[in-house]
Amino acid sequence: MVEQYKGYEIKVYWSDIEMGYVFCVFSKDGEGLKESGAYFYEENALLGARETIDRLVEKEEMAAEG
């Protein structure tokens, strides 16, 4: 599954190594920013990715404020 969220790209996939669903978050430039551990459900991995992006956006906003 691939999804765009707040300008970032999320990829969620099954990992045979981790034996669960894993997410990767990519920047607007395609740079890999974060890879998760295993989640039991695909939906939970997607929610985890969105929360990660929300934290990244929050940090960016705080940095921009000074």
Side-chain angles (χ1 to χ4, degrees), residues 30-52:
E31 177 186 356
L33 300 176
K34 172 83 174 163
E35 185 171 338
S36 74
Y39 286 81
F40 192 70
Y41 295 107
E42 185 177 29
E43 295 82 13
N44 291 345
L46 182 59
L47 288 174
R50 288 178 181 163
E51 290 172 1
T52 298

Side-chain angles (χ1 to χ4, degrees), residues 1-59:
M1 167 195 300
V2 177
E3 177 179 301
Q4 298 294 319
Y5 182 72
K6 295 187 178 182
Y8 293 85
E9 183 174 87
I10 300 168
K11 292 185 180 178
V12 177
Y13 59 93
W14 175 263
S15 170
D16 288 333
I17 296 169
E18 297 285 337
M19 296 301 294
Y21 289 95
V22 176
F23 72 76
C24 294
V25 173
F26 296 89
S27 71
K28 300 165 188 168
D29 300 326
E31 177 186 356
L33 300 176
K34 172 83 174 163
E35 185 171 338
S36 74
Y39 286 81
F40 192 70
Y41 295 107
E42 185 177 29
E43 295 82 13
N44 291 345
L46 182 59
L47 288 174
R50 288 178 181 163
E51 290 172 1
T52 298
I53 292 171
D54 288 341
R55 286 193 298 273
L56 288 171
V57 169
E58 191 175 295
K59 285 181 184 179

